[in-house]
Amino acid sequence: MAALSLRVVAECRHSRARACELRLPHGAVDCPVFMPVGTQGALKGLTAAQLAALGCRLCLGNTYHLGMRPR
């Protein structure tokens, strides 16, 4: 199995909007998805419990900032 794959589940003929399933090593994520961005290795404004309550399955980390100023 590929480490990363995207499968189109449905597509609108009029707007070409798509619903997809993104398969990652830790599991599948339905798209579109709420994906907060953690800058400098931290997600500001929400706790881990709040993210879990929102159903957050994916958080994007900006590796540029982590590489420039590792902690």
Side-chain angles (χ1 to χ4, degrees):
M1 182 171 106
L4 176 67
S5 67
L6 183 72
R7 181 175 68 94
V8 177
V9 178
E11 186 172 355
C12 177
R13 286 181 271 169
H14 304 289
S15 68
R16 297 190 58 193
R18 295 177 289 178
C20 299
E21 179 185 68
L22 177 62
R23 291 191 171 270
L24 302 168
H26 71 276
V29 178
D30 294 326
C31 296
V33 63
F34 168 65
M35 183 175 50
V37 177
T39 302
Q40 297 181 355
L43 186 66
K44 293 152 181 81
L46 294 172
T47 66
Q50 289 170 323
L51 285 173
L54 288 169
C56 180
R57 302 254 325 176
L58 187 63
C59 183
L60 181 65
N62 191 329
T63 57
Y64 172 78
H65 289 105
L66 293 174
M68 294 302 292
R69 195 167 39 146
R71 294 181 189 227

